Amino acid sequence: MNRAFNFSAGPSTLPQEVLEKIQQELLNWQGTGASVMEIGHRSSEFMDFADKLREKFVKILQIPDSHEILFCSGGASTQNAMIPLNLLGNKKSADYLVTGLWSNKAWLEANKYCTANLVANGKENNFTSIPERSSWQVHEDAAYFHYASNETVHGLQFHEPLQGIPVPLVADMSSDIMSKPIDIYRYGLIYAGAQKNLSTPGLTILIIRRDLLDRARHDIPLNFHYDTLRNMNSMPNTPVTFSWYIADLMLDWLEKQGGLSAMAQASQRKSQKLYTAIDKSDFYINHVVPKDRSLMNVLFYLHDDKLTPLFVSEATANGLISLKGHRDTGGIRASLYNAMPEKGVDALVSFMNDFEKTHG
Ligand SMILES: *Cc1c(COP(=O)(O)O)cnc(C)c1O
C-alpha cells in the first residue's frame, strides 16, 4: 500500500525522509551497535546527542540568552498544572484567555491552584473568532497571562504576537511551534507537546525566561520543577529518548527545507488553497472569521451534514486519511503541519471538487 496523505491533528504525519532515516538507523544508531531506544540516556553518545539537540533548537528558533530550552515529559496538558505550580510565586492569580478547547482546559486546571481570571471567553461566539481585544479583562497583579497561539480543535490562530500585556506571557504553541519564526524574547514561557509539528508523543519542549525559574513552590514533584529540569539538563529521570531522537531528525529536515521562514510560506500557501476551495463552494463552509483562521488546522463542514461520514470514508479510500473532525466540533478537520506536502492539499482539494460534483 502507498503512504496516504495523513491529515491527523496529532499524533501527526512525519516526512517520509525522516521515517526512512529512522528505519535506516534503527538497528545501529551512530555506530553504537544498538538502536537509540536501547542505549542509556547517561551514555556519552546520548549525552552528546542531547547537547547538540539543544544547540539545534537554539539556532533554529533563535532562542536568546535570556531564555532556556528545557525538555519535559507528560505532554502539553501536564503543563496546565505545572505552569501555576512553577510560576505563581507569591501571586494568587493568573490570567487566562479562552479561545477554544485547549485554552479552556488550561483555565479549568489552573483553577485548582489559583484564582484563574477569565480574560475573555470565545465560547460566547462558539469559538468562531478571538474575542475583541477591547473586551479583555487584563489584570496587572496576575502572575502571568496564558493563551493558546493555535486552537487545534476549533481552528483558530493568533497571527500577530500579543502586545502590551503587563505580565509574563505564557503561550501553548503545541500545534504551531516550528511553523514560523517566533520573537522568543516577548514570552515568559512557551510550551509545546511534540506530537503535532515536531516529533512523536512524549516530549514537551519549554522555552522559559531565566528569571522565571526561581518562583516554583517547593512541594511540587521533582521531575516537574522547571529549575530541576534546568539543573539536571532536562534529565531528572529517564527521558523519552525516542521522541528526542525524532525531534532531532525533524530539525535537520526542517533546515533542509529552508528553515522556519520557508515553513511559514508553505503554511500560507497550503492553507490558502484549502480555504479558497471552501469559500468558493456552496457545498462546504468554514465558520471561523477569516482573520483568525488557523493555518495549521482547517475546519470545514458539508452543508448537508448527513454526507459527512461518506465524505470521510471516500476520502480514506482515496488515500486521504484522518479527516474526521474532533468529537466536540464534528465536520471535517484537515491538519496542515510542516510534514504535509502541498501535493497532499492539492489531492484533498481535487477530491473535494469531485465529491461536490457527485453529491452536490
Ligand atoms: C494537542 C494539544 C494539547 C495536548 O497535548 P497532550 O500532549 O496530549 O497533553 C494541548 N494544547 C494544544 C494546543 C494541543 O494542540
Side-chain angles (χ1 to χ4, degrees), residues 9 74-78 102 148 150-152 172-175 191 193 195-196 204 337:
S77 320
T78 299
W102 290 115
N150 182 66
E151 286 285 359
T152 323
D172 176 358
M173 294 196 183
S174 294
S175 50
Y191 68 102
Q195 71 271 30
K196 313 293 167 56
T204 305
Y337 301 122

Short mmCIF file of all heavy atoms in Angstrom, two decimals, residues 9 74-78 102 148 150-152 172-175 191 193 195-196 204 337, ligand 1:
data_model
loop_
_atom_site.label_atom_id
_atom_site.label_comp_id
_atom_site.label_asym_id
_atom_site.label_seq_id
_atom_site.Cartn_x
_atom_site.Cartn_y
_atom_site.Cartn_z
N ALA A 9 -4.65 15.42 13.36
CA ALA A 9 -4.32 16.59 14.17
C ALA A 9 -3.24 16.28 15.20
O ALA A 9 -2.62 17.19 15.74
CB ALA A 9 -5.58 17.10 14.87
N GLY A 74 5.26 14.10 29.81
CA GLY A 74 3.92 14.29 30.37
C GLY A 74 2.96 14.98 29.41
O GLY A 74 1.79 15.16 29.73
N GLY A 75 3.44 15.36 28.24
CA GLY A 75 2.56 16.01 27.27
C GLY A 75 2.28 17.45 27.62
O GLY A 75 2.61 17.92 28.71
N ALA A 76 1.65 18.14 26.69
CA ALA A 76 1.36 19.56 26.90
C ALA A 76 0.39 19.76 28.06
O ALA A 76 0.52 20.70 28.85
CB ALA A 76 0.80 20.18 25.63
N SER A 77 -0.59 18.86 28.21
CA SER A 77 -1.62 19.07 29.25
C SER A 77 -1.05 19.06 30.65
O SER A 77 -1.61 19.70 31.54
CB SER A 77 -2.69 17.98 29.20
OG SER A 77 -3.00 17.63 27.92
N THR A 78 0.02 18.31 30.85
CA THR A 78 0.63 18.30 32.19
C THR A 78 1.07 19.70 32.59
O THR A 78 1.05 20.06 33.76
CB THR A 78 1.81 17.30 32.20
OG1 THR A 78 1.27 16.01 31.90
CG2 THR A 78 2.51 17.25 33.54
N TRP A 102 -8.44 23.92 24.01
CA TRP A 102 -7.19 23.75 24.75
C TRP A 102 -6.96 24.84 25.78
O TRP A 102 -6.55 24.56 26.91
CB TRP A 102 -6.00 23.61 23.79
CG TRP A 102 -6.05 22.30 23.07
CD1 TRP A 102 -6.21 22.12 21.73
CD2 TRP A 102 -5.98 20.98 23.65
NE1 TRP A 102 -6.25 20.78 21.45
CE2 TRP A 102 -6.11 20.05 22.59
CE3 TRP A 102 -5.84 20.50 24.95
CZ2 TRP A 102 -6.09 18.66 22.80
CZ3 TRP A 102 -5.82 19.12 25.15
CH2 TRP A 102 -5.93 18.23 24.09
N ALA A 148 -3.48 30.16 24.13
CA ALA A 148 -3.03 29.14 23.17
C ALA A 148 -2.89 29.83 21.81
O ALA A 148 -3.86 30.41 21.31
CB ALA A 148 -4.02 27.99 23.09
N ASN A 150 -2.50 28.61 18.90
CA ASN A 150 -3.29 27.96 17.85
C ASN A 150 -4.23 26.96 18.52
O ASN A 150 -3.77 26.12 19.29
CB ASN A 150 -2.38 27.23 16.86
CG ASN A 150 -3.15 26.58 15.72
OD1 ASN A 150 -3.75 27.28 14.90
ND2 ASN A 150 -3.18 25.27 15.68
N GLU A 151 -5.51 27.10 18.24
CA GLU A 151 -6.50 26.19 18.82
C GLU A 151 -6.73 25.04 17.84
O GLU A 151 -7.45 25.17 16.86
CB GLU A 151 -7.81 26.94 19.14
CG GLU A 151 -7.71 27.84 20.35
CD GLU A 151 -7.73 27.09 21.69
OE1 GLU A 151 -7.84 25.84 21.69
OE2 GLU A 151 -7.63 27.77 22.73
N THR A 152 -6.12 23.93 18.15
CA THR A 152 -6.08 22.75 17.28
C THR A 152 -7.47 22.18 16.98
O THR A 152 -7.71 21.67 15.90
CB THR A 152 -5.23 21.66 17.99
OG1 THR A 152 -4.15 22.31 18.66
CG2 THR A 152 -4.69 20.65 17.03
N ASP A 172 0.76 28.39 24.88
CA ASP A 172 0.71 27.00 24.45
C ASP A 172 0.85 26.99 22.93
O ASP A 172 -0.06 27.39 22.22
CB ASP A 172 -0.63 26.38 24.88
CG ASP A 172 -0.80 24.94 24.39
OD1 ASP A 172 0.09 24.44 23.68
OD2 ASP A 172 -1.83 24.32 24.72
N MET A 173 2.01 26.59 22.45
CA MET A 173 2.27 26.56 21.00
C MET A 173 2.32 25.13 20.48
O MET A 173 2.99 24.85 19.48
CB MET A 173 3.57 27.30 20.67
CG MET A 173 3.52 28.77 20.94
SD MET A 173 4.87 29.64 20.11
CE MET A 173 4.59 31.31 20.71
N SER A 174 1.61 24.23 21.14
CA SER A 174 1.70 22.80 20.78
C SER A 174 1.46 22.55 19.30
O SER A 174 2.08 21.67 18.72
CB SER A 174 0.69 21.99 21.58
OG SER A 174 1.03 22.01 22.94
N SER A 175 0.53 23.29 18.70
CA SER A 175 0.19 22.94 17.32
C SER A 175 0.65 23.97 16.30
O SER A 175 0.34 23.84 15.12
CB SER A 175 -1.32 22.69 17.19
OG SER A 175 -2.05 23.73 17.78
N TYR A 191 5.40 26.74 25.60
CA TYR A 191 5.48 25.27 25.74
C TYR A 191 4.76 24.61 24.58
O TYR A 191 3.86 25.19 23.98
CB TYR A 191 4.94 24.81 27.10
CG TYR A 191 3.45 24.98 27.33
CD1 TYR A 191 2.58 23.91 27.24
CD2 TYR A 191 2.92 26.23 27.66
CE1 TYR A 191 1.21 24.05 27.48
CE2 TYR A 191 1.56 26.38 27.90
CZ TYR A 191 0.71 25.29 27.81
OH TYR A 191 -0.64 25.44 28.03
N GLY A 193 3.73 20.44 23.18
CA GLY A 193 3.82 18.99 23.04
C GLY A 193 4.37 18.72 21.65
O GLY A 193 4.07 19.45 20.71
N GLN A 195 4.01 16.15 19.50
CA GLN A 195 3.41 15.20 18.54
C GLN A 195 2.62 15.83 17.39
O GLN A 195 2.03 15.12 16.59
CB GLN A 195 2.52 14.20 19.29
CG GLN A 195 1.23 14.76 19.85
CD GLN A 195 1.39 15.32 21.25
OE1 GLN A 195 2.45 15.80 21.61
NE2 GLN A 195 0.35 15.28 22.06
N LYS A 196 2.60 17.18 17.32
CA LYS A 196 1.88 17.83 16.23
C LYS A 196 2.87 18.20 15.12
O LYS A 196 2.75 17.75 14.01
CB LYS A 196 1.16 19.09 16.71
CG LYS A 196 0.35 18.94 18.00
CD LYS A 196 -0.83 18.02 17.87
CE LYS A 196 -1.49 17.59 19.16
NZ LYS A 196 -1.96 18.62 20.06
N THR A 204 7.81 17.21 25.56
CA THR A 204 7.22 18.55 25.59
C THR A 204 8.37 19.53 25.70
O THR A 204 9.24 19.36 26.56
CB THR A 204 6.30 18.73 26.83
OG1 THR A 204 5.33 17.68 26.82
CG2 THR A 204 5.60 20.07 26.82
N TYR A 337 0.28 20.46 9.00
CA TYR A 337 1.56 20.74 9.65
C TYR A 337 2.68 20.70 8.60
O TYR A 337 2.47 20.34 7.45
CB TYR A 337 1.80 19.71 10.76
CG TYR A 337 0.73 19.71 11.83
CD1 TYR A 337 0.01 18.56 12.12
CD2 TYR A 337 0.44 20.88 12.53
CE1 TYR A 337 -0.98 18.55 13.11
CE2 TYR A 337 -0.55 20.88 13.51
CZ TYR A 337 -1.25 19.71 13.80
OH TYR A 337 -2.21 19.72 14.77
C1 LIG B 1 -2.63 18.52 21.45
C2 LIG B 1 -2.66 19.75 22.25
C3 LIG B 1 -2.55 19.73 23.66
C4 LIG B 1 -2.50 18.46 24.46
O1 LIG B 1 -1.37 17.73 24.24
P1 LIG B 1 -1.03 16.43 25.11
O2 LIG B 1 0.41 16.22 24.79
O3 LIG B 1 -1.93 15.33 24.64
O4 LIG B 1 -1.26 16.75 26.53
C5 LIG B 1 -2.53 20.93 24.33
N1 LIG B 1 -2.62 22.11 23.66
C6 LIG B 1 -2.73 22.16 22.31
C7 LIG B 1 -2.82 23.49 21.63
C8 LIG B 1 -2.75 20.98 21.57
O5 LIG B 1 -2.85 21.04 20.23
#
